[in-house]
């Protein structure tokens, strides 16, 4: 049987790397779009890459979501069966500093891919758009968000992604494309970028466990997020494109916790009891070391955003039913996975130092 061909934008990212792994396991030929960078940016996929002079099913191509020609040429040349559009400027905080660039990549970038499919008349391509719970910025009266909930983005990132959500739906309705939105709630892993809050915490606490003297500076500890594991969520990205009909799905754990709770859980797994005192910018987190109180976490207002999504909790009823969504990782196992990997990393760093 002919191998299926997939194109992944954002293949060097957290999700792109897990998705490439999954599709290779499923015997796909996988093509990844990567950005030119002056230093290597392929750390998450190096273990998958084989020199194309040898037999391989994994190919990398330079391109950029801001460059229509590179996208057009790539789709024209590789003729994929499935496209996963995961590429984005994905940091909400950064989107306030670089709103125009965020709109170009995370908004218009999606249009560029859809237009290439339409222009090339490759209507058989199935298209997945990485939509996000950041579309739901306002709680209104509901306890959970699902496919019918009202959107209210709170950041330039959320607004750019809302455009992508709608343009995906427009191309599905207007041109009959098999185009779907996966509205994914926060998902984390040991491969999470280190400026996102969960990984910032697990990297810090594991280094602290091994004796570092650093202090962790954070922003809003009261924000509530619905956290799942990226490995579970990329499987749903694939499943969404294997359905008979193109539809949109919410993927979430259904649980919500504050950033402070995430810290406490990670601390507990490391046998570090963290105590809290003070309010607002004066709040600090401390531990007892050799019987002495030691402050390890402080608040820095630079990590607060001009506008914040305070509460996220999703309902994946549709995905449970139609995609048989059964996440393998509970919240505690997600945090444990991150802690275990980051402990190894912290130990490696320490070994290099001495
Ligand atoms: P990530 O780790 O930040 O990865 C983003 C990817 O996009 C990276 O490969 C990055 O390349 C690439 N990229 C950035 N700008 C680009 C450009 N101009 N042209 C081409 N590629 C570009 O994000 P992630 O956590 O894997 O998330 C994957 C997707 O899902 C993103 O679209 C994100 O917005 C969305 N999403 C994520 C979550 C979550 O909780 N993780 C939830 C909902 C939706 P470099 O490696 O070169 O930077
Ligand atoms: N990054 C960061 N750094 N966030 C902090 C910090 C800090 O020092 N301190 C507190 N926070 C709070 C943020 O204000 C936010 O409320 C929460 O921690 C989570 O922040 P992030 O981990 O940066 O994730 P996010 O929820 O803003 O966005 C992620 O999830 C979205 C899905 O809901 C990203 O992956 C987006 O791309 C994704 O769409």
């Amino acid at each position: 049987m002919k191998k299926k061909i997939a194109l992944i934008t954002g293949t060097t990212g957290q999700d792109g790397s897990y998705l490439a792994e999954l599709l290779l396991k499923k015997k796909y030929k996988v093509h990844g779009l990567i950005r030119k960078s002056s230093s290597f940016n392929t750390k998450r996929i190096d273990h998958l890459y084989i020199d194309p002079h040898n037999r391989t099913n994994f190919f990398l191509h330079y391109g950029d979501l801001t460059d229509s020609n590179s996208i057009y040429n790539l789709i024209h040349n590789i003729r994929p069966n499935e496209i996963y559009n995961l590429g984005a400027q994905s940091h909400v905080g950064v989107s306030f500093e670089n709103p125009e660039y965020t709109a170009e990549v995370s908004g218009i970038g999606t249009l560029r891919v859809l237009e290439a499919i339409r222009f090339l008349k490759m209507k058989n391509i199935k298209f997945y758009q990485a939509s996000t719970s950041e579309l739901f910025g306002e709680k209104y009266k509901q306890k959970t968000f699902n496919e019918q909930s009202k959107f209210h983005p709170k950041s330039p990132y959320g607004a750019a992604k809302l455009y992508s959500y709608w343009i995906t739906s427009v191309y599905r309705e207007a041109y009959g494309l098999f185009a779907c939105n996966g509205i994914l709630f926060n998902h984390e892993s040991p491969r999470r970028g280190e400026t996102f809050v969960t990984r910032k915490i697990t990297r810090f606490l594991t280094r602290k466990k091994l004796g570092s003297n650093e202090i962790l500076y954070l922003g809003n500890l009261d924000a509530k997020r619905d956290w799942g594991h990226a490995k579970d969520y990329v499987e749903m990205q694939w499943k969404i494109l294997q359905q008979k009909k193109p539809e949109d799905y919410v993927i979430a754990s259904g649980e919500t916790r504050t950033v402070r709770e995430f810290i406490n859980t990670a601390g507990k797994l490391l046998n570090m009891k963290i105590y809290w005192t003070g309010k607002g910018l004066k709040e600090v987190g401390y531990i007892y070391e050799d019987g002495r109180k030691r402050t390890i976490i402080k608040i820095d207002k630079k990590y607060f955003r001009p506008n914040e999504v305070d509460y996220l909790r999703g309902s994946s009823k549709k995905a449970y039913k139609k995609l048989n969504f059964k996440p393998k990782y509970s919240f505690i196992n997600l945090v444990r996975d991150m802690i275990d990997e980051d402990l190894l990393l912290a130990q490696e760093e320490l070994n290099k130092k001495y």
Side-chain angles (χ1 to χ4, degrees):
M1 240 175 57
K2 230 177 135 195
K3 281 183 193 295
K4 274 195 186 173
I5 300 170
L7 169 64
I8 305 175
T9 73
T11 196
T12 54
Q14 170 188 255
D15 288 13
S17 65
Y18 283 121
L19 181 66
E21 249 168 47
L22 179 82
L23 296 180
L24 287 168
K25 248 189 233 150
K26 292 188 183 294
K27 307 286 180 216
Y28 278 60
K29 269 193 180 170
V30 179
H31 294 261
L33 179 99
I34 60 167
R35 297 197 286 173
K36 175 72 187 82
S37 158
S38 63
S39 51
F40 289 116
N41 60 353
T42 53
K43 198 172 79 187
R44 293 183 178 106
I45 48 171
D46 281 343
H47 61 294
L48 300 175
Y49 189 74
I50 299 166
D51 184 328
H53 297 100
N54 302 309
R55 250 178 106 83
T56 177
N57 285 319
F58 188 45
F59 308 89
L60 296 176
H61 310 268
Y62 285 120
D64 200 296
L65 283 165
T66 60
D67 178 2
S68 306
N69 288 332
S70 66
I71 297 165
Y72 178 96
N73 288 334
L74 198 53
I75 298 176
H76 179 260
N77 291 338
I78 68 175
R79 312 193 84 71
N81 303 96
E82 294 169 10
I83 297 180
Y84 296 86
N85 186 35
L86 310 184
Q89 189 304 91
S90 73
H91 200 285
V92 175
V94 170
S95 79
F96 287 97
E97 288 165 40
N98 296 317
E100 191 179 333
Y101 177 72
T102 302
E104 272 295 339
V105 181
S106 313
I108 305 296
T110 308
L111 174 67
R112 293 189 179 101
V113 181
L114 288 165
E115 259 301 271
I117 299 173
R118 186 186 72 84
F119 194 75
L120 287 162
K121 300 194 172 53
M122 295 172 76
K123 278 198 171 172
N124 289 335
I125 294 179
K126 294 182 172 181
F127 175 82
Y128 173 87
Q129 171 55 24
S131 283
T132 164
S133 45
E134 280 289 307
L135 304 181
F136 309 119
E138 198 59 59
K139 196 172 163 202
Y140 298 109
K141 282 194 179 128
Q142 66 223 320
K143 288 206 171 116
T144 58
F145 298 97
N146 64 22
E147 293 81 4
Q148 273 76 49
S149 301
K150 195 171 160 193
F151 298 134
H152 188 144
K154 295 263 176 160
S155 63
Y157 167 81
K161 283 282 186 177
L162 185 58
Y163 174 80
S164 284
Y165 169 91
W166 279 121
I167 202 68
T168 298
S169 155
V170 166
Y171 272 58
R172 176 169 69 212
E173 284 177 19
Y175 304 118
L177 294 191
F178 195 108
C180 309
N181 286 290
I183 308 172
L184 272 51
F185 283 61
N186 296 53
H187 45 282
E188 320 292 315
S189 75
R191 294 189 197 165
R192 184 58 140 156
E194 294 190 25
T195 60
F196 295 94
V197 80
T198 56
R199 190 80 197 290
K200 195 169 158 182
I201 294 163
T202 57
R203 282 287 278 141
F204 167 80
L205 287 178
T206 48
R207 282 199 299 262
K208 173 72 53 201
K209 183 73 186 173
L210 301 190
S212 125
N213 290 322
E214 295 159 78
I215 287 187
L216 176 65
Y217 290 91
L218 292 171
N220 181 5
L221 303 183
D222 295 313
K224 287 188 147 186
R225 288 293 179 273
D226 176 327
W227 281 297
H229 199 298
K231 266 194 189 172
D232 282 329
Y233 287 29
V234 298
E235 203 177 330
M236 291 307 110
Q237 297 177 351
W238 173 73
K239 276 253 178 97
I240 287 172
L241 292 196
Q242 311 314 309
Q243 302 308 298
K244 281 212 173 85
K245 273 174 42 197
E247 288 183 40
D248 303 330
Y249 294 86
V250 160
I251 306 296
S253 78
E255 297 172 7
T256 190
R257 290 178 177 81
T258 61
V259 172
R260 197 182 291 95
E261 282 174 274
F262 188 99
I263 300 170
N264 291 338
T265 305
K268 218 175 187 173
L269 287 171
L270 287 161
N271 285 324
M272 281 163 84
K273 168 99 181 108
I274 299 166
Y275 301 86
W276 299 96
T277 183
K279 279 218 156 73
L281 293 178
K282 296 265 161 52
E283 183 167 5
V284 296
Y286 61 92
I287 55 172
Y288 282 99
E289 236 171 20
D290 306 324
R292 296 214 340 242
K293 197 169 151 181
R294 190 180 291 275
T295 295
I296 60 165
I297 300 170
K298 287 186 176 176
I299 305 298
D300 183 336
K301 64 175 186 305
K302 94 171 181 203
Y303 294 113
F304 283 81
R305 293 156 185 187
N307 206 8
E308 173 71 294
V309 172
D310 295 318
Y311 173 92
L312 286 173
R313 183 176 168 203
S315 164
S316 275
K317 267 193 194 152
K318 181 177 174 186
Y320 292 146
K321 210 169 141 202
K322 292 201 168 183
L323 307 177
N324 196 21
F325 176 40
K326 280 192 202 128
K328 293 183 190 75
Y329 285 85
S330 60
F331 175 72
I332 189 88
N333 285 339
L334 160 70
V335 186
R336 188 175 284 123
D337 192 28
M338 295 177 74
I339 289 286
D340 287 350
E341 290 286 325
D342 280 342
L343 264 178
L344 294 175
L345 194 56
Q347 188 61 60
E348 256 175 48
E349 285 168 352
L350 211 59
N351 295 345
K352 268 192 204 148
K353 212 164 152 190
Y354 298 107

